[in-house]
Amino acid sequence: MGPIFKDRHDAAQRLAPRIKAALRAGEKPIILALPRGGVPLAAVIATQLDAPLDLVLVRKLGLPSQPELAVGAVTDGAQPNLEINAEVAQAAGLSDADIAALAEPALAEIARRRALWLGGRSPLGLSGKVAVVVDDGIATGASMRAALRWLRTQGAVRVIVAIPVAPATALSTITALADQLICLETPHPFRAVGAHYTDFPQVSDAEVSAALRAQDQGPRHRPP
């Protein structure tokens, strides 16, 4: 099976009408990207929905011997949420303490990225809001699960996950944590997320910062 999407912009264009259809009358969502790959999609969707854009700062914890394989993920915050892929951890012989140790440099990297991408920009308040969480795809789902658990602690009243592509096996746990899941394609066999795009470049720090600045300077108003 060849690539499904031309690039992230193409995927966002296909997701946007599905998200619009999922919103209830009068709902004013906040679009939240999982950086960095989710930011280009979320920026397009935020513009089309005339909605504010923000980030969920989450960091995948790769196996030391295989960094692309997530043994878990951790989110930013006063009480960071650590999500563990139990099967991967068990196969690798890693204890909870081992994974907590892996999270320490990840949290330091999240802090660095917060300063770089957001500067002094305050996060949008999520209490009582509808949150639409966007990424360019899901592989194991660890980062998304960590993001969704964190969102619940922030008081979001409804959480919609919107992704272009994922393996069907990863979606059951996502469905359990979200109020609604929009996934355009579940190819089988599933390869790496980028294999389902014709053009899938790395998203730079500068692109993330620029996307946030562009949304802040646009005609929409940030919610109180």
Side-chain angles (χ1 to χ4, degrees):
M1 183 177 182
I4 301 168
F5 305 101
K6 179 182 176 183
D7 52 22
R8 291 183 177 92
H9 186 273
D10 173 42
Q13 293 283 5
R14 299 195 209 180
L15 271 176
R18 293 282 300 274
I19 297 169
K20 286 181 182 179
L23 294 171
R24 298 168 183 166
E27 283 188 334
K28 304 286 187 183
I30 293 175
I31 311 301
L32 295 156
L34 269 61
R36 287 177 289 203
V39 173
L41 288 87
V44 170
I45 291 164
T47 297
Q48 293 204 8
L49 271 62
D50 193 28
L53 173 66
D54 209 350
L55 305 178
V56 179
L57 292 172
V58 58
R59 182 80 173 157
K60 181 179 75 175
L61 307 179
L63 281 177
S65 61
Q66 196 175 349
E68 288 305 309
L69 181 59
V71 69
V74 65
T75 50
D76 191 20
Q79 295 181 319
N81 178 65
L82 179 61
E83 183 73 24
I84 298 173
N85 275 337
E87 291 182 3
V88 176
Q90 184 176 8
L94 296 177
S95 67
D96 289 356
D98 293 330
I99 298 170
L102 289 175
E104 291 182 12
L107 286 168
E109 177 62 14
I110 285 174
R112 183 194 74 82
R113 291 183 176 195
R114 175 181 288 283
L116 179 64
W117 294 337
L118 298 171
R121 184 188 195 266
S122 299
L124 299 179
L126 295 171
S127 181
K129 303 295 184 181
V130 175
V132 177
V133 191
V134 178
D135 203 357
D136 55 13
I138 285 176
T140 67
S143 295
M144 183 61 76
R145 291 195 304 272
L148 294 175
R149 293 188 197 280
W150 177 83
L151 278 169
R152 294 300 187 188
T153 70
Q154 304 305 300
V157 294
R158 199 157 83 91
V159 177
I160 300 170
V161 173
I163 49 173
V165 63
T169 52
L171 296 183
S172 60
T173 54
I174 303 300
T175 302
L177 294 171
D179 295 295
Q180 189 164 351
L181 170 65
I182 300 167
C183 180
L184 300 181
E185 300 286 348
T186 55
H188 181 76
F190 183 87
R191 297 170 289 165
V193 169
H196 302 289
Y197 290 79
T198 300
D199 187 18
F200 195 73
Q202 289 289 326
V203 177
S204 69
D205 289 331
E207 287 177 89
V208 174
S209 299
L212 292 167
R213 285 196 305 271
Q215 292 298 125
D216 288 347
Q217 294 166 4
R220 67 195 56 79
H221 297 286
R222 296 176 67 189

